[in-house]
Amino acid sequence: MPPEAASLAPAPAAAGLPAAWRAPLAALALAALALVAVTAGAWGAMVHQWWNIDTYNHLLLVPFIVAWLVALKERELASLAPQPFAPALLAVAAALGLWVWGARLGIDLVAQAGAVLALQAAVVTVLGLRVSLVLAVPLAFASFLVPFGDEIIAPLQYLTADIAIALTRWSGVAARIEGIHIHTPAGLFIVAEACSGVKFLIAMVQLGVLVCAVRFSRWRVRIAFMAACIIVPILANGVRAFATIWVAQVIGADRATGFDHIVYGWIFFAIIVALLLGAAWRFATREPDTHGWSLAAIAGWRWVARAEAFRIAPIGAVLAIIALAAIAALGLLL
């Protein structure tokens, strides 16, 4: 290659972390450490649920998904210099207040939501408004770290029982229902908490949000897909319960129950997911790395430039967050 041609080639990107990011990321690490230390009880309870309760095992994937979503924006982030955003300290304070309130009342969901929100607000504070807008999707997706779903188990049990009894009677099997108890010639079937379908439902909602964010650009498609991610698992769980009852009439209740757990746990769920994704994939109009707002779009928002005037130094941001964390810890003790 001639020397002049070589001089026209783009220079390789410098390896390592851009200098403009080093101080803000160090500040963010210190702020996150302080927040997690203060809200350790809430984080410990969340980790326990992720690891030990099968309804929430899929939440172990959330940190990896968030990291992947951030990595997709690496090129755009490299062109930015974080500018700590002072007004977001109000969000940190509000989130810590929510944590204190939930911890005082013994409401784990509220305390855990406050702990996660405090960490999200710290990212906005330390890395700044423009960076946070670029990272809006992973920041929002991190909300799924909070285990939720127990609150809807009872309604799902009754809904599953209603669907199962309707299909059972339609199939010609004589049956009657009392709440979540279904009486059939083969025996009594109870739609227990484990059979409510809550695990399937919340996993599908999480998957639906991810797919909508990284693959769909039209809101009509997003709304339709999210509706399917809610309705289809509920209906499918009712069909599964009916299938268990119907099979029991032929092979016996004990054998049908074992069959149900194997099929539903390993095959049925996978089939439903594959069908939903297969039906929706032709509507995918964007590449994953284009998720969220682009730098060009953000640059066109005048309010962003005006808001960025409220700056704070990285050390000032981290000291303010540590002070707020200390105040929240003191407020919980008093």
Side-chain angles (χ1 to χ4, degrees):
M1 178 180 292
E4 60 271 21
S7 64
L8 295 176
L17 191 66
W21 280 82
R22 292 171 187 168
L25 284 181
L28 179 59
L30 287 174
L33 183 62
L35 290 172
V36 172
V38 167
T39 60
W43 283 101
M46 282 189 284
V47 172
H48 168 77
Q49 289 174 277
W50 303 341
W51 189 262
N52 296 308
I53 302 177
D54 62 356
T55 300
Y56 303 116
N57 287 160
H58 66 281
L59 298 186
L60 290 167
L61 297 174
V62 172
F64 300 98
I65 295 173
V66 170
W68 172 66
L69 290 170
V70 171
L72 290 175
K73 290 294 185 179
E74 181 181 3
R75 182 171 298 179
E76 290 177 274
L77 293 172
S79 66
L80 290 174
Q83 298 177 1
F85 184 55
L89 287 169
L90 296 174
V92 176
L96 287 170
L98 185 66
W99 166 73
V100 171
W101 182 53
R104 277 181 172 273
L105 295 178
I107 306 175
D108 286 346
L109 180 63
V110 175
Q112 292 165 7
V116 172
L117 284 170
L119 208 54
Q120 293 167 308
V123 173
V124 181
T125 302
V126 178
L127 298 187
L129 185 59
R130 197 173 298 258
V131 169
S132 299
L133 288 171
V134 172
L135 296 177
V137 171
L139 272 175
F141 197 81
S143 300
F144 283 112
L145 290 168
V146 181
F148 68 93
D150 287 351
E151 303 77 15
I152 61 173
I153 287 177
L156 286 176
Q157 286 177 274
Y158 283 97
L159 191 52
T160 298
D162 289 339
I163 296 171
I165 191 65
L167 292 174
T168 300
R169 288 170 176 168
W170 173 80
S171 69
V173 176
R176 61 185 177 87
I177 185 171
E178 295 176 353
I180 59 174
H181 298 77
I182 299 175
H183 301 266
T184 74
L188 171 64
F189 293 85
I190 303 174
V191 182
E193 291 185 3
C195 302
S196 66
V198 66
K199 179 179 181 179
F200 190 9
L201 177 59
I202 61 177
M204 283 303 304
V205 168
Q206 180 178 314
L207 176 63
V209 170
L210 179 62
V211 171
C212 285
V214 302
R215 296 299 284 156
F216 302 145
S217 57
R218 289 177 291 174
W219 277 103
R220 186 174 298 178
V221 175
R222 290 172 175 168
I223 293 170
F225 187 71
M226 285 307 305
C229 286
I230 295 171
I231 296 170
V232 171
I234 292 173
L235 294 178
N237 192 54
V239 171
R240 177 205 58 80
F242 154 69
T244 302
I245 294 171
W246 187 82
V247 169
Q249 312 308 309
V250 179
I251 64 174
D254 292 338
R255 294 173 64 188
T257 302
F259 172 83
D260 164 64
H261 287 295
I262 294 172
V263 171
Y264 185 56
W266 297 101
I267 301 174
F268 191 70
F269 178 81
I271 291 174
I272 297 299
V273 171
L275 288 175
L276 271 177
L277 292 178
W281 217 246
R282 65 191 184 96
F283 298 102
T285 55
R286 75 186 312 169
E287 294 302 318
D289 60 355
T290 64
H291 70 74
W293 295 302
S294 66
L295 277 177
I298 296 170
W301 299 342
R302 294 182 180 178
W303 67 269
V304 173
R306 291 196 295 267
E308 286 179 328
F310 298 95
R311 300 181 185 178
I312 186 173
I315 186 63
V318 70
L319 289 176
I321 291 172
I322 291 174
L324 288 172
I327 293 170
L330 184 62
L332 184 62
L333 294 175
L334 295 178

